Amino acid sequence: MVELHDASTIAAVIVEPMAGSTGVLPPPVGYLKRLRELCDKHGILLIFDEVITAFGRLGHATASERFGVTPDIMTFAKGITSGTVPMGGCVVRKHVYDAFQTGPDHVIDLFHGYTYSGHPLAAAAALATLDLYRDEGLFERSRKLEPYIAQAAMSLKGHALLQDIRTIGFVAAFDLAPVEGLPGKRGFDAMRVAFHEENMMVRVSGDTIAVSPPLIAEEKHLDEIFEKFGRVLDKVS
Ligand SMILES: Cc1ncc(COP(=O)(O)O)c(C=O)c1O
């Protein structure tokens, strides 16, 4: 892309360090490090969208920490309040901060004009959530259970409807064989059956279903989740 467009026309590269929203696609080994090197070489900012990956989903505070690659800007949301109250934000490194702080001292730092910026309710929920993550060791727990969730998800291997199973951290994804001529229908049906018949919320992305248990889930809950998902697969076959 740099060769095609010239680095001077590229301000930043934004990636999800693990592509969660497109179906749980772990990065190829060394991919993020190489991206960091290329961005450094050409003076391009690297942005990690950590809306899904931060706060324990990959067994660490951030995917950046897990993969040992530090972006210039990081976005976050969901896990910061464990979804209890809407909140999102971004963290920047000092050189980005300094670039914005060229005005007088009395202006607001990194000003964003949102109606609900820094809302006290969301801030309280975030602080309480961070306390729980620390006190209950939930990032470590997610890291410890990573092999268990991988094994539990892989127990569905061989089901005729499954084209691929991927897991990383505390998340698993299943690619379902599409209904011919109706892409997305099988995934949508699976989500509907999971929700209405198995009391289970899953995320659908085309014909891919992502299962992202709460970080407090224990082994027995993971067993239950994948048992239920096995029944969902049977029902939408
Ligand atoms: C990876 C990712 N980035 C960004 C967003 C959007 O975040 P927000 O609604 O906080 O802007 C989502 C929403 O699902 C997401 O999954």
Side-chain angles (χ1 to χ4, degrees):
M1 294 306 282
V2 167
E3 272 171 23
L4 193 63
H5 296 289
D6 194 76
S8 64
T9 68
I10 304 172
V13 172
I14 180 164
V15 291
E16 280 189 87
M18 180 283 287
S21 56
T22 48
V24 183
L25 308 168
V29 174
Y31 176 83
L32 297 171
K33 281 203 167 85
R34 180 82 183 116
L35 208 50
R36 177 72 274 180
E37 283 165 16
L38 285 170
C39 286
D40 285 344
K41 183 173 164 198
H42 296 288
I44 296 169
L45 292 175
L46 180 60
I47 308 174
F48 279 179
D49 174 347
E50 294 238 20
V51 164
I52 289 178
T53 51
F55 302 106
R57 187 54 54 193
L58 298 188
H60 294 263
T62 60
S64 158
E65 187 180 288
R66 174 175 178 136
F67 294 114
V69 176
T70 307
D72 301 292
I73 303 176
M74 180 190 289
T75 67
F76 63 87
K78 311 186 197 296
I80 181 73
T81 62
S82 195
T84 52
V85 178
M87 185 182 218
C90 75
V91 182
V92 304
R93 283 171 71 181
K94 182 139 190 343
H95 60 277
V96 177
Y97 175 87
D98 287 344
F100 279 94
Q101 294 307 110
T102 51
D105 279 351
H106 61 265
V107 300
I108 296 172
D109 286 12
L110 289 179
F111 182 69
H112 288 60
Y114 293 116
T115 304
Y116 296 117
S117 292
H119 195 285
L121 174 64
L127 290 172
T129 304
L130 293 177
D131 282 350
L132 280 173
Y133 284 147
R134 182 195 54 213
D135 296 348
E136 298 190 7
L138 292 178
F139 301 167
E140 294 77 12
R141 179 197 175 111
S142 145
R143 186 154 71 231
K144 199 173 119 234
L145 284 180
E146 176 164 349
Y148 194 91
I149 195 171
Q151 202 187 15
M154 291 298 167
S155 70
L156 294 170
K157 199 170 163 179
H159 193 288
L161 212 55
L162 288 179
Q163 295 185 329
D164 194 26
I165 306 175
R166 293 176 295 281
T167 70
I168 181 171
F170 216 55
V171 60
F174 301 90
D175 291 346
L176 275 48
V179 175
E180 218 187 310
L182 291 173
K185 177 161 181 0
R186 187 96 65 193
F188 185 79
D189 286 348
M191 180 194 67
R192 205 169 35 80
V193 169
F195 187 61
H196 291 295
E197 296 179 30
E198 297 292 345
N199 299 320
M200 190 166 76
M201 290 183 77
V202 296
R203 179 170 176 151
V204 63
S205 181
D207 285 307
T208 299
I209 294 288
V211 177
S212 188
L215 302 185
I216 53 167
E218 298 168 13
E219 281 97 333
K220 64 179 181 200
H221 302 125
L222 298 173
D223 292 343
E224 187 184 338
I225 286 169
F226 293 107
E227 246 178 68
K228 285 181 166 194
F229 193 64
R231 287 201 293 274
V232 171
L233 291 175
D234 292 341
K235 287 178 184 174
V236 300
S237 289

